[in-house]
Amino acid sequence: MSNITIIGSGLAAYTLIREFRKLDKETPLTLISSDAADFYSKPMLSTALAQGKDVNSLVITPAEKMAEQLKLKMIANTTVTGIDTAEKTCTLDTGDMVSYDRLVLTLGADPIRIPFQGNANDDVLSVNNLDDYARFRAKLAANVKRVAIVGAGLIGCEFANDLLSQGYQVNIIGLGATPLDTLIPAAAGRALQSALQQAGVTWHLGTTIKTFNSHNKNYSVVLENGDCFDCDLMLSAIGLQSKTEFAKQAGLKVSRGVVVDATLQSSNQSIYALGDCAEVEGQILPYVMPIMHGARALAKTLAGEPTKVVYPVMPVIIKTTLHPIVVAGNTRGNEVSWQMESVEDGVKAIAVNTAGKMTGFCLTGKTANKEKQSLLAGLK
Ligand SMILES: Cc1cc2nc3c(=O)[nH]c(=O)nc-3n(C[C@H](O)[C@H](O)[C@H](O)COP(=O)(O)OP(=O)(O)OC[C@H]3O[C@@H](n4cnc5c(N)ncnc54)[C@H](O)[C@@H]3O)c2cc1C
């Protein structure tokens, strides 16, 4: 019987396998993962402090249980170093080979790191998986009070919100003039900026780090705009880059991610890609909802019914509980402009096209919850 091998054990891998097992209980499945392959929810990493979760309690289902429930051959703590598309084999860092009939890449993405001048670059943390989170919590436990975050996007702002909830002092450094400037309009960003500032954040926007040095258990940060301050821990959250390295080496078509069509099939007809590593018809959508929809479509394809993924309107919720934000629909491009309104404690922004039709929206503050459903209905 033909076998399917999945590389990775994140949300993309496990959602796909769950969906596939609903359709096919017998086809042999092998999962290979660099990490321990425990099932967890990555979005919880940036809200775990407020929710009283530690690394152990973030694990929803241990790897062995996942293997048993989903009838999987599990090869955990093992990295795939290459694939041979002619022989249909994966090479592992143990030196072993695994054969596949069909292969699914769910490799995720790596945090982007920029080298700062100074002697403390190696001490900068990024949090993108459970092992990173364990390191982060171990550092926090070592008498840390002042945390600096470089990157004022979704992940940086969510970590700031979470750290504030536990009384940490937070400095955020962001290149844009307002937080989340690539995702939401400036007025909405300013509303978030003001809410987090009132809760204690010191913002350094429109600038970046010039030097980062360590002195007697302290770190000193000097910014390009001349500001300087000390901190006990530096977190980098400046974006993610799809993992494509061995896909490229194997000759698969790669752009910003592993290039796949609407059926999630790569340029090699036996290989598929899903999740943060995949570029689906030109788009990288590094969020949970696109993974869910992609997994359902790919499960059907792998079970014998070729299916294209069709994405509905997928809101992105920014989990800054001090000032929640939701953004949905098409909010970018030259043909889109914003109609702004101040509401209660936040902003209601409607994106309209040149014909005056709503194409998307962004809501902040209490309104984010109240009006989300009715505006989403208007986008369908
Ligand atoms: C802090 C944080 C908060 C977030 N919050 C939200 C949110 O609120 N809403 C939302 O929609 N999205 C959110 N996201 C994004 C969302 O969590 C991701 O899009 C999603 O989890 C990605 O899943 P994935 O399976 O593609 O990748 P990953 O979960 O990164 O999994 C990749 C897997 O591949 C394995 N792997 C990689 N290379 C190899 C190799 N060579 N050999 C073997 N195994 C390999 C890794 O070990 C890992 O198991 C958040 C992300 C972060 C970091």
Side-chain angles (χ1 to χ4, degrees):
M1 188 184 280
S2 84
N3 78 71
I4 302 173
T5 296
I6 300 108
I7 310 178
S9 63
L11 220 60
Y14 279 134
T15 311
L16 170 67
I17 296 166
R18 277 207 186 97
E19 293 296 328
F20 181 75
R21 278 291 182 237
K22 289 181 196 165
L23 307 171
D24 179 327
K25 305 241 180 307
E26 297 309 325
T27 295
L29 297 178
T30 302
L31 182 150
I32 310 167
S33 184
S34 302
D35 55 36
D38 295 326
F39 178 64
Y40 75 106
S41 164
K42 189 179 286 201
M44 289 209 54
L45 297 180
S46 49
T47 56
L49 288 168
Q51 296 191 26
K53 298 255 181 203
D54 62 12
V55 180
N56 293 331
S57 55
L58 280 168
V59 173
I60 299 168
T61 315
E64 312 79 67
K65 240 199 173 126
M66 292 304 285
E68 194 187 308
Q69 282 173 3
L70 298 167
K71 247 180 119 181
L72 282 176
K73 179 180 175 197
M74 178 81 83
I75 307 175
N77 300 307
T78 305
T79 296
V80 175
T81 53
I83 44 181
D84 182 331
T85 54
E87 296 294 323
K88 291 195 162 183
T89 52
C90 302
T91 308
L92 311 184
D93 59 356
T94 53
D96 294 336
M97 306 269 233
V98 172
S99 304
Y100 65 83
D101 293 307
R102 287 174 293 168
L103 181 68
V104 185
L105 308 178
T106 62
L107 307 169
D110 283 323
I112 295 171
R113 296 291 295 257
I114 40 171
F116 303 122
Q117 284 179 45
N119 66 8
N121 207 36
D122 290 347
D123 294 351
V124 177
L125 295 186
S126 307
V127 178
N128 188 40
N129 56 43
L130 277 178
D131 291 341
D132 293 342
Y133 195 70
R135 277 187 284 278
F136 172 61
R137 289 296 288 261
K139 290 257 182 187
L140 284 186
N143 208 19
V144 160
K145 295 201 168 43
R146 302 161 301 173
V147 180
I149 299 174
V150 57
L154 180 146
I155 292 173
C157 290
E158 288 189 356
F159 272 109
N161 189 96
D162 207 31
L163 286 159
L164 288 170
S165 75
Q166 306 303 301
Y168 291 94
Q169 290 168 37
V170 180
N171 278 268
I172 308 183
I173 305 134
L175 262 187
T178 50
L180 294 156
D181 63 326
T182 57
L183 200 61
I184 62 175
R190 280 193 294 273
L192 175 67
Q193 181 181 346
S194 151
L196 294 194
Q197 189 163 321
Q198 277 170 37
V201 163
T202 306
W203 292 94
H204 308 272
L205 293 168
T207 190
T208 189
I209 295 174
K210 188 170 178 197
T211 58
F212 181 55
N213 281 296
S214 123
H215 307 282
N216 318 317
K217 295 188 184 165
N218 261 340
Y219 295 106
S220 69
V221 185
V222 177
L223 303 181
E224 291 287 356
N225 69 2
D227 284 357
C228 42
F229 58 90
D230 286 353
C231 67
D232 308 311
L233 193 158
M234 171 74 78
L235 196 60
S236 173
I238 56 172
L240 294 167
Q241 197 160 35
S242 300
K243 277 195 175 181
T244 56
E245 213 170 273
F246 70 72
K248 206 182 214 164
Q249 281 163 9
L252 301 189
K253 192 168 173 204
V254 164
S255 175
R256 288 177 304 135
V258 179
V259 171
V260 293
D261 64 14
T263 64
L264 289 314
Q265 189 177 53
S266 75
S267 55
N268 180 302
Q269 62 174 14
S270 305
I271 304 180
Y272 300 81
L274 176 70
D276 286 6
C277 72
E279 183 175 326
V280 187
E281 297 204 300
Q283 286 192 92
I284 294 185
L285 297 168
Y287 299 107
V288 174
M289 278 187 77
I291 290 176
M292 301 289 179
H293 290 280
R296 268 176 227 136
L298 182 52
K300 283 190 187 162
T301 299
L302 294 174
E305 184 193 333
T307 304
K308 291 183 178 178
V309 60
V310 179
Y311 297 120
V313 176
M314 297 178 290
V316 175
I317 292 160
I318 293 117
K319 307 181 297 293
T320 41
T321 48
L322 288 160
H323 196 76
I325 298 177
V326 56
V327 58
N330 177 14
T331 57
R332 295 203 228 161
N334 291 338
E335 71 287 359
V336 173
S337 59
W338 287 105
Q339 291 177 352
M340 311 295 303
E341 203 184 313
S342 293
V343 282
E344 279 193 276
D345 65 336
V347 165
K348 176 176 173 181
I350 305 293
V352 290
N353 63 16
T354 44
K357 187 176 180 311
M358 179 170 78
T359 60
F361 65 85
C362 171
L363 300 172
T364 86
K366 293 190 184 105
T367 322
N369 284 330
K370 284 190 195 155
E371 292 199 36
K372 182 176 79 179
Q373 290 310 338
S374 61
L375 286 174
L376 276 176
L379 284 178
K380 279 176 189 153

